[in-house]
Amino acid sequence: MEKYIKRDRYLTQLINRKENGLVKVITGIRRCGKSFLLFNLYYDYLMSEGVPEDHIITIALDDDMNVDYRNPTELSKYVRSRILNSKEMYYVFIDEVQYAISREEIKNPENIRLYDVLNGLLRLRNVDIYVTGSNSKMLSKDVMTAFRGRGDSVEVHPLSFREYYDFVGGDKAEVYEEYALFGGMPLVAFKKTDDEKYSYLTNLFEEVYFRDIVERYHIELPDILSELTDALCSAIGSLTNVTKIANTLQSVKGIKVDNQTIANYLDYLSESFLFRCARRYDVKGKKYFSYPYKYYCSDIGLRNVRLNLRQQEETHIMENIIYNELIVRGYLVDVGVVESHEKDENDKRRKVSCEIDFVVNKGSKKYYIQSALNMDDPQKSRTELRPLISTNDFFKKIVVTKTYMKPWTDELGILHMGLYEFLLNDNALEL
């Protein structure tokens, strides 16, 4: 029996949305497992529930054999030709649906012909539609408006550490070091050697992600896109903004580029799910800062390989992994800023701004989380705890350190937790 990686988190979401009268929009970075989830795991689930094979209509638009169906009119004709019984339910799977949307249409979502086609199919009442896409524009408010309130999104991510560990098994610490180096793109878990993993991830950047972005957005300065990607990979966990990036390219690389081009390229990299932007939030003022931001790579392995494994700052890598894990679990994640007072060398009180790595929200729940490689040094401990203490509120405060420690709460009410406990326990924040 062929071994495969379970994606139960996402499979459950699809099962719960089955026949809900909405278009299920499955998005995420390319090669993160969207197609396998839909065309294998969910397909097998439907078959196990007794759905006839000819009632599951599958179309992969990134396959050149299906190029004609990138025309929404032809796509509609094909799907309708497969629906032979108006009294029985049919399930339509369309993979990489962005191939049926032109660049001009993305600028004016209300004109996207594909959405009219999908809305028309829903009116048949015996059609359940699922589409995948690798562009976050599909999750925008404009797109959901185009579906007239009939869109339902599921975002798929690279493997979490738990998914990766459950598949490969072994010593937790050893598996983590492998994961922290090569990340969680699903096919990486099947590669036997480091060289195979390195080559696969390198090829993804050049032959899949960059090619998609350059072709889709008609990039005129691909070298700038490449340098920008390197700059973001180097700066994970650090504050940055458009002007700072432009200045860095000018001073370090001797490349002069205007701020608007940088801003546009940042949007393209984010829309392709390669990076995520974390905004800074004033905890006491309860407002967002306009800039700077932090960017995190959607897969730490892609980041490391992009930098030729040269910049292995363990602190920033751990922070990126924790950020990704929080996103996978469905939390909204910001970078926290909180002001506190301390005495200077002249014993005068002065105001200082402290950073909380993550302000995490889900519904009415809020958590403050610090990522700390270790807390062995008293000064390091004070530095990490001070922002949490300075909030002066009663939301849960957590410090995650790279240890095996069992969760425990200190005299200040702050929960201390080992990294492996956090990554392997989906309910870790509830402890």
Side-chain angles (χ1 to χ4, degrees), residues 296-309:
Y296 293 98
C297 198
S298 297
D299 180 76
I300 198 65
L302 288 171
R303 177 263 179 192
N304 293 339
V305 168
R306 180 67 189 176
L307 297 176
N308 293 320
L309 308 182

Side-chain angles (χ1 to χ4, degrees), residues 285-302:
K286 294 180 171 55
K287 62 182 180 181
Y288 285 97
F289 293 95
S290 299
Y291 59 85
Y293 327 104
K294 286 189 177 184
Y295 283 88
Y296 293 98
C297 198
S298 297
D299 180 76
I300 198 65
L302 288 171

